Amino acid sequence: MNDEKIGVYRINRGKNEIIYQPSGTFVGCPQPIEFIAYGSDGHSYLGNFSQTVLGIQLQNTHDIQGVTQTSQITIISSPNEPGRPLDSNWPIDFISNSQASKQLSATKNGQTVGLYQIDPNTGTVSFAPDKNFIGQPDKVTIRVTSASGEQTNLQYQPTVDAVRPSARIAPTIGEQGQSQTSKVRITSGSDQVMARIDANHPARFIINGQVSNAEKISISGIGSYILEPSTGLVTFSPDFEYFGKPKGINIQVTDDNNTPAIATYNVTVLRHQVAQQPSPAANRGDQGVIEESPAGETVIQQPVSQQQSQPVQQPQTQQQPTPQPTPQQPVQNVAEQVPGADNTELPMLDDTNAWYMIAIALLGALSGEE
């Protein structure tokens, strides 16, 4: 066939057999060969020998972490034809240490990483990886025996890709002394692998790089964190005096493959704002009203009624006795002498009734002249 070597023919004269040994990769029907056989009567006979080489194949598989993979053993009679299912009367076995079995542990570097199984009725080989296994297990050998007793060895090696879930916790901000609450959220790395937080997949604190079963962590001088494992709810209660932004705390969650995802919870504690004292110079509104000054600072206003004022004295209706000057307070101002009067000096008593007393004295002087 196109000068391609596809096998070797041999004749076993003792048994009158023609044997064809195909090349390892050849599948199909080689051209028939002619042969001459001699009968007991001495006559020669011309004959033809033709055969079909059936191919038995098994494809390696590739899937994600935690998902069972299957491959079908098929028979092909020509490279250009699709394979057909293996006949149910063809025995199929795993071969390990010269032992045949329908089930075999998958290993990697001497460690068990999954399980191989064969369905002899369909010729299906399955591989169920351990949930935490990623990569390729060691190859496994499968022996197929045809109806005529011919044996073919196949090798199967699946590949497992990693599935990486992700997790996050929304940061929170609160005032000094105020508790803050957030929740861990997990997202699966594949639709085929569930990711959730429940009693079977609890959320856990990570302390000093290790997963902890503690549900409360207290940090001296900062506060405490409380975690609900079955819901992922986390509460931070700061110490009353603490304010600032402490280092985030890590929480781990897992998907159905027990693959971990870590989220960091960050909190911010705002310092109490000290109220500014009211400024009389800026007060214009009523009591309790908060107004903005041009500089943008918040001030609390006071009512005008609270501002201080000086009382105004009213004039006296009756003549007050004339106070005598004292050595500590000498009289600075005196009334002018009125002609015809007794020239009595009228001292200024104070700023409020001085002119009133002067007027009384003048009237008295005028009355005496009449």
Side-chain angles (χ1 to χ4, degrees), residues 110-237:
Q111 301 293 322
T112 299
V113 296
L115 181 66
Y116 291 113
Q117 288 183 302
I118 288 177
D119 185 345
N121 296 319
T122 63
T124 300
V125 179
S126 64
F127 169 60
D130 291 346
K131 290 184 176 182
N132 61 350
F133 177 69
I134 300 169
Q136 288 183 316
D138 298 332
K139 292 180 180 180
V140 64
T141 299
I142 302 169
R143 184 177 66 193
V144 180
T145 304
S146 69
S148 61
E150 295 179 353
Q151 294 181 342
T152 302
N153 288 336
L154 305 172
Q155 285 191 323
Y156 174 57
Q157 187 177 38
T159 301
V160 179
D161 290 336
V163 175
R164 303 295 188 190
S166 60
R168 67 178 300 272
I169 308 175
T172 57
I173 299 176
E175 293 184 357
Q176 192 173 353
Q178 180 185 63
S179 295
Q180 304 179 34
T181 301
S182 194
K183 194 171 186 180
V184 188
R185 307 289 182 179
I186 184 171
T187 303
S188 175
S190 170
D191 293 339
Q192 296 175 269
V193 181
M194 290 292 295
R196 59 190 178 277
I197 301 173
D198 55 24
N200 296 322
H201 305 83
R204 296 296 186 193
F205 285 122
I206 296 181
I207 303 175
N208 297 325
Q210 301 295 322
V211 178
S212 173
N213 291 327
E215 297 182 6
K216 181 177 180 179
I217 297 176
S218 296
I219 303 175
S220 178
I222 294 178
S224 62
Y225 296 84
I226 297 178
L227 176 64
E228 294 183 8
S230 61
T231 64
L233 189 70
V234 58
T235 301
F236 170 66
S237 298

Side-chain angles (χ1 to χ4, degrees), residues 330-347:
V331 176
Q332 299 296 328
N333 298 316
V334 295
E336 295 180 357
Q337 293 183 358
V338 179
D342 57 3
N343 297 326
T344 302
E345 294 182 351
L346 298 178

Side-chain angles (χ1 to χ4, degrees), residues 339-359:
D342 57 3
N343 297 326
T344 302
E345 294 182 351
L346 298 178
M348 296 291 292
L349 296 180
D350 53 38
D351 292 337
T352 54
N353 59 3
W355 292 106
Y356 176 78
M357 298 302 295
I358 293 173

Side-chain angles (χ1 to χ4, degrees), residues 16-35:
N16 294 322
E17 291 179 344
I18 299 176
I19 302 171
Y20 169 64
Q21 181 62 49
S23 298
T25 58
F26 175 73
V27 173
C29 298
Q31 292 179 352
I33 63 170
E34 294 181 344
F35 63 91

